[in-house]
């Protein structure tokens, strides 16, 4: 980031061809006494949801997209201030089906005092019913709702629309206040999704926790986040740990 106070706008466009090989491997995440399956057991292909069975194999995709970003941020690390807003729209085809993808992303940063930063993020992701599961958005995980495993809060086939957001309080622990060697953070994330089978919003899932970021050469920041599910999920672990490169947003 440069130090210029002037807002910046960036526009991007792409036209690409992509090959995707979809695997059929699925395993049990937690012990399931009702089905006599243990965590790690392979799930038979015939037990995989039909929408996933149909998508297994090679897919040749054509993609065309446009993105626009507005960036008013100044400073860096814990002195970062301002907003970053982006919108991305993409049209995708596999030769048989076509679908669109829309992604809206807002990020806000506000220093509260030297060495203490408030950061917030909200993200909207949407696609069409014709999109295969591997092109759909999911809720849960590091860049969605921490405290839960990746994709754990969506059905196996994915969602049609998701809304996720979070807030972080970042603080310098060791080193410079604006660019510490070690920083700590407290976070609260929330997310919800809509599935094809049920076109109403689900209950919001919430996760909270803490984390650390250490400054290292070349890749800038390495971190770990320890999240706790606030929304009751008896089939999931009571704590979930994520490793990260950089800040979450």
């Amino acid at each position: 980031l440069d130090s210029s106070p002037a807002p910046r706008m960036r526009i991007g466009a792409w036209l690409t061809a992509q090959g995707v090989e979809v695997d059929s491997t699925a395993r049990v995440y937690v012990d399931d006494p009702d089905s006599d399956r243990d965590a790690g057991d392979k799930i038979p292909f015939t037990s995989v949801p039909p929408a996933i069975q149909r998508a297994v194999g090679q897919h040749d995709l054509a993609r065309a997209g446009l993105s626009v970003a507005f960036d008013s941020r100044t400073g860096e690390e814990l002195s970062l201030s301002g907003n970053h807003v982006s919108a991305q729209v993409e049209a995708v085809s596999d030769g048989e089906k076509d679908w669109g993808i829309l992604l809206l992303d807002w990020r806000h940063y506000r220093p509260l005092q030297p060495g203490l930063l408030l950061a917030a993020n909200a993200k909207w992701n949407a696609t069409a019913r014709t999109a295969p599961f591997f092109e759909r958005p999911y809720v849960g995980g590091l860049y969605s709702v921490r405290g839960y495993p990746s994709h754990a809060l969506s059905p196996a086939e994915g969602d049609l629309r998701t809304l996720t957001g979070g807030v972080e309080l970042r603080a310098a622990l060791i080193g410079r206040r604006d660019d510490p060697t070690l920083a700590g953070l407290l976070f609260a994330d929330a997310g919800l999704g809509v599935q094809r089978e049920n076109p109403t919003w689900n209950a919001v899932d919430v996760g909270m926790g803490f984390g650390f970021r250490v400054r290292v050469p070349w890749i800038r920041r390495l971190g770990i986040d320890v999240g706790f599910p606030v929304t009751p999920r008896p089939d999931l672990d009571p704590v979930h740990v994520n490793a990260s490169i950089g800040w979450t947003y």
Side-chain angles (χ1 to χ4, degrees):
L1 297 175
D2 59 47
S3 59
S4 170
R8 299 168 296 281
M9 177 177 289
R10 297 182 178 89
I11 300 176
W14 58 93
L15 178 63
T16 63
Q18 178 186 23
V20 178
E21 180 69 30
V22 179
D23 196 304
S24 62
T25 301
R27 296 186 181 277
V28 177
Y29 182 73
V30 295
D31 293 341
D32 184 2
D34 294 337
S35 62
D36 196 26
R37 292 176 179 173
D38 298 325
D41 288 351
K42 188 174 181 179
I43 298 175
F45 183 73
T46 53
S47 299
V48 173
I52 296 180
Q53 294 184 32
R54 292 192 297 268
V56 169
Q58 177 68 31
H59 296 261
D60 296 314
L61 308 179
R63 318 183 74 99
L66 177 69
S67 65
V68 179
F70 178 82
D71 191 353
S72 66
R73 296 174 297 176
T74 58
E76 58 181 296
E77 296 293 336
L78 297 192
S79 65
L80 195 61
S81 177
N83 294 277
H84 183 278
V85 181
S86 64
Q88 177 178 305
V89 61
E90 189 174 32
V92 189
S93 175
D94 65 0
E96 298 180 358
K97 300 183 297 295
D98 305 315
W99 60 91
I101 298 173
L102 173 66
L103 175 62
L104 305 176
D105 189 294
W106 169 73
R107 305 179 183 194
H108 176 73
Y109 306 89
R110 178 178 297 180
L112 301 179
Q113 64 182 47
L116 188 64
L117 176 76
L118 178 67
N121 171 243
K123 186 182 298 183
W124 167 266
N125 202 329
T127 190
R129 295 186 179 186
T130 51
F133 80 94
F134 58 88
E135 287 281 299
R136 294 186 177 192
Y138 288 79
V139 179
L142 178 61
Y143 299 104
S144 177
V145 181
R146 286 165 286 185
Y148 304 89
S150 296
H151 301 178
L153 302 178
S154 294
E157 302 90 336
D159 288 306
L160 293 182
R161 293 176 293 281
T162 60
L163 177 62
T164 58
V167 293
E168 284 189 356
L169 186 63
R170 304 172 183 173
L173 300 179
I174 300 175
R176 290 169 42 188
R177 291 184 177 182
D178 62 337
D179 188 13
T181 302
L182 177 66
L185 62 90
L186 300 174
F187 67 81
D189 295 336
L192 46 80
V194 167
Q195 297 104 41
R196 178 177 57 189
E197 295 82 1
N198 182 7
T200 60
W201 290 109
N202 292 332
V204 176
D205 287 294
V206 178
M208 302 178 69
F210 63 90
F212 299 96
R213 295 293 185 276
V214 61
R215 177 159 45 86
V216 295
W218 305 109
I219 58 177
R220 194 58 181 171
R221 294 277 173 190
L222 280 178
I224 186 171
D225 291 335
V226 181
F228 305 91
V230 176
T231 307
R233 291 278 182 168
D235 56 331
L236 298 177
D237 297 330
V239 61
H240 193 76
V241 179
N242 292 108
S244 69
I245 297 178
W247 301 101
T248 308
Y249 44 82

